[in-house]
Amino acid sequence: MAKIKKGDLVEVISGRSQARGGDRGKQGRVIEVLVDQDRVVVEGVNYVTKHVRVGQTQRGSKTGGIETHEAPIHVSNVAIVDPETKKPTRVGFRTETVTKDGVEKTVRVRYAKKSGKDL
């Protein structure tokens, strides 16, 4: 089980501060997790401008130009936001036994280390 998943609310914990034009302290939802590169794409964080070649669609409208979108950021530079305190926290795992339809099952659950709440 991964510590950070798609849809998690995370905060950038390293890099340049917002006063200096960086993204440290910003919070956003994880759009995509790139497991093989150890990177995540976070909504509203690490915007880059990309020059796309101008083309035409079937209807004749122009596409391309200068576009901005989120670029991947390393997993070590973000931390999950605690649902109770709204501050960054570490992630822990615990096993719980769940009874469903008379059958006991052990399940791994992610939880916030600061407050103990399930993620």
Side-chain angles (χ1 to χ4, degrees), residues 10-28 42 44-47 73 76-79 81 88:
V10 295
E11 182 175 321
V12 180
I13 57 172
S14 66
R16 292 172 58 163
S17 66
Q18 292 181 34
R20 295 184 173 265
D23 290 326
R24 187 176 3 136
K26 285 188 182 176
Q27 293 184 356
V42 182
V45 173
N46 198 19
Y47 270 109
I73 185 170
S76 66
N77 296 333
V78 296
V81 174

Side-chain angles (χ1 to χ4, degrees), residues 98-105:
V98 177
T99 307
K100 190 173 184 182
D101 299 330
V103 180
E104 279 196 3
K105 238 173 131 175

